[in-house]
Amino acid sequence: MATSAASGPINPSNTRLGWIGTGVMGRSMCAHLINAGYSLTVFNRTLSKAQPLVDMGARLAQTPHDLAAQSDVVFSIVGYPSDVLQVLLDPVNGALSGLRPGGILVDMTTSEPSLAVEISTAASSKNCSSIDAPVSGGDRGAKNGTLAIFAGGDEAIVNRLNPIFTLMGKVNYMGPSGKGQFAKLANQITIASTMVGLVEGIIYAHKAGLNVASFLDAISTGAAGSKSLDLYGSRILKRDFDPGFFVNHFVKDLGICLKECQNMGLALPGLALAQQLYLSLKAHGEGNLGTQALILALERLNNATLGS
């Protein structure tokens, strides 16, 4: 990173960006950075998913190591903690192995807090920095640049990165390394029970003979209104289960939450119920659908189908 970036605000003229993971979320987030004028290098295991960004002007790297060698700040948003470990800390092809001193890793994957601490420790040993910055807001938030970003790590580094974070949404500093992940997991716990309540309300309204679309519109401005309703209510009624966030990834997130609850000695029965319902979707081969597909589990439980 240029000296001016280290001492002043980051901007496209002094900071080269790298991005690992150009799926549903990453592709839209990258587009904001390119449109803002940043030089961007991308890596994705499925190369075709990175092609739209290459068409916009991004460079394509063959490995995370090669990407990091061309970048001052490296972002990652991949599927699972094992993927994070591989793309960032693999001793041969991982991003940290190619990052120069003073470089910054920003992992935006929802992952394990302990892994965030491990990455931070490894980065520090190379005179680099690491921020855990998972996001919430789904595919629409990524497209609209309105994501909630939960940042953990050195607050001064988070503040320096703010010009980049602002392009993607609103950054919220949560504390030292790992706290961004803890905040995101708490967010997922809140969403899990909210989604259960939403689909239960929909099934109830359907069985009661209400016009479900009118019912959802009526509650949207009352106390039952929620982001989940706004994002997914109409999609559920249209049987639109395309993923803004994959069931498989939500099952992963809730599993991490339950593991952390066990470590803390916490009993969260709503979380456990939601995890079981989402796990049933995965068991039915529906893991690649969006989280709004939870309605399918409730339909099966009640032998009911919306619209019938």
Side-chain angles (χ1 to χ4, degrees), residues 87-101:
V87 300
L88 296 187
L89 298 187
D90 182 89
V92 177
N93 289 318
L96 185 58
S97 67
L99 198 62
R100 279 177 264 190

Side-chain angles (χ1 to χ4, degrees), residues 9 29 38 54 67 70 73 140 167 197 221 224 231 242 283 292 302:
M29 296 161 80
Y38 281 95
V54 173
L67 177 145
Q70 305 171 53
V73 183
R140 289 188 186 177
L167 297 171
T221 56
L231 285 171
D242 286 346
Q292 68 273 27
N302 292 286

